[in-house]
Amino acid sequence: MSERVKTGIKGLDELIEGGLPRGYSYLLLGGPGTGKTTFGAQYLYKGATEFAENGMYVTFDEPPYSIISNMQRYGWNLTDEERQGRLGFVDVSPIKREAKAGTFVPAALQQSFLGAAKFNLDDVVSAISEVKRKVDAKRCVIDSISALTLQYKDNFEIRQQVLRLIKVLTEMDLTTIMLAEIPEDRQDMTTFGPEAFLAQGVIVLHMYRVEESNVKALEVRKMRGVKHTDRLCPYRVTAEGIEVYPEETVFRSV
């Protein structure tokens, strides 16, 4: 069995033979409110605090200060992890604000952001490499691959750029989770985009409306080289983060 990376998501690792095979990129799909950003931050925070694996958060959407603020609700002090050199951010988000004194800003991204006319994936790759060296990262989160693909016009170019990014991340030996937005009515793998086929594994976060409540369910849609469960497992976003319940059922038969 290949070396496994513990996700830090309670209940998930037992669904995938103990964790994610090291050094590959995985796609996490979900609609709004399913907890994708929480999942990504939890993967990095638990890696740094419980498994001695530093990480990096590459954000194309929400700026780092917003992510840091929102994760405080779970008791995760990402600022402290950043100060201790266990976590690094690569900020490619279109929303910018003046960095505080002492904040590390990758040189390649000081004047660039997603949507800018001069945006170049080479700059992002350079920044990822710079932050990886700085914090000795073993884990990476891309938030989100959907935002990155909007930068390109046709499917061939999207596939080419996503493949290039995955190749770079693999060469850096980073175990990466790429977040992606998807409406709940798009269940067919062919509608997920090229990233679903290029990734080593695909995990889907579902949310169903049942009477007056939302029911959340996690599905391991694909995991190459891993014997994994193929049924829906309920999960909840608790005060301590995301918890998956492998022994419970999502829908009870009448």
Side-chain angles (χ1 to χ4, degrees):
M1 181 183 293
S2 60
E3 185 181 357
R4 297 303 169 89
V5 173
K6 300 291 185 182
T7 63
I9 307 296
K10 187 176 180 180
L12 175 57
D13 290 345
E14 60 189 88
L15 302 179
I16 52 176
E17 292 189 319
L20 301 170
R22 183 176 296 282
Y24 296 101
S25 294
Y26 303 89
L27 188 65
L28 179 71
L29 289 161
T34 52
K36 297 184 301 299
T37 298
T38 297
F39 189 111
Q42 186 169 341
Y43 170 69
L44 295 181
Y45 181 78
K46 296 295 183 178
T49 59
E50 297 184 10
F51 306 119
E53 290 195 352
N54 297 349
M56 58 191 303
Y57 201 112
V58 183
T59 174
F60 291 96
D61 285 322
E62 193 176 358
Y65 66 83
S66 179
I67 297 169
I68 290 169
S69 176
N70 290 333
M71 293 307 114
Q72 289 177 354
R73 72 185 69 180
Y74 306 113
W76 306 337
N77 191 334
L78 301 186
T79 298
D80 187 56
E81 295 307 307
E82 189 177 20
R83 287 172 180 162
Q84 296 295 325
R86 293 189 288 261
L87 176 65
F89 284 92
V90 175
D91 183 9
V92 203
S93 65
I95 302 173
K96 302 290 183 183
R97 76 175 187 183
E98 187 175 350
K100 296 180 180 179
T103 298
F104 175 75
V105 180
L109 295 180
Q110 287 179 3
Q111 302 297 325
S112 65
F113 54 90
L114 196 69
K118 295 182 179 180
F119 174 83
N120 190 326
L121 190 59
D122 287 337
D123 294 339
V124 179
V125 168
S126 177
I128 289 173
S129 178
E130 189 175 349
V131 175
K132 179 187 174 356
R133 289 194 302 269
K134 183 174 185 291
V135 302
D136 189 26
K138 301 293 188 298
R139 302 180 178 217
C140 179
V141 167
I142 305 292
D143 185 4
S144 70
I145 198 73
S146 301
L148 175 61
T149 57
L150 288 174
Q151 187 74 29
Y152 304 104
K153 296 180 180 179
D154 59 69
N155 287 335
F156 175 77
E157 190 174 14
I158 290 172
R159 186 181 183 91
Q160 189 177 46
Q161 296 301 327
V162 171
L163 180 59
R164 181 174 167 226
L165 180 60
I166 290 176
K167 183 175 182 292
V168 167
L169 296 169
T170 301
E171 289 173 347
M172 292 184 186
D173 199 28
L174 288 165
T175 306
T176 303
I177 294 178
M178 305 181 296
L179 312 186
E181 192 78 26
I182 183 170
E184 267 306 317
D185 59 352
R186 289 174 58 184
Q187 300 298 314
D188 187 347
M189 278 285 285
T190 60
T191 67
F192 285 178
E195 58 271 25
F197 297 93
L198 298 172
Q200 184 78 2
V202 176
I203 297 172
V204 186
L205 301 180
H206 298 278
M207 186 159 61
Y208 304 99
R209 189 69 178 176
V210 179
E211 295 180 347
E212 297 182 358
S213 301
N214 289 323
V215 176
K216 296 182 175 68
L218 179 145
E219 175 189 10
V220 182
R221 180 65 65 92
K222 160 186 155 183
M223 196 64 61
R224 290 177 184 149
V226 175
K227 184 179 180 180
H228 61 84
T229 183
D230 58 0
R231 65 181 182 84
L232 293 173
C233 294
Y235 75 93
R236 299 182 183 93
V237 182
T238 73
E240 297 178 349
I242 292 177
E243 294 187 18
V244 182
Y245 305 95
E247 303 303 322
E248 295 184 15
T249 57
V250 177
F251 302 109
R252 292 182 175 86
S253 57
V254 178

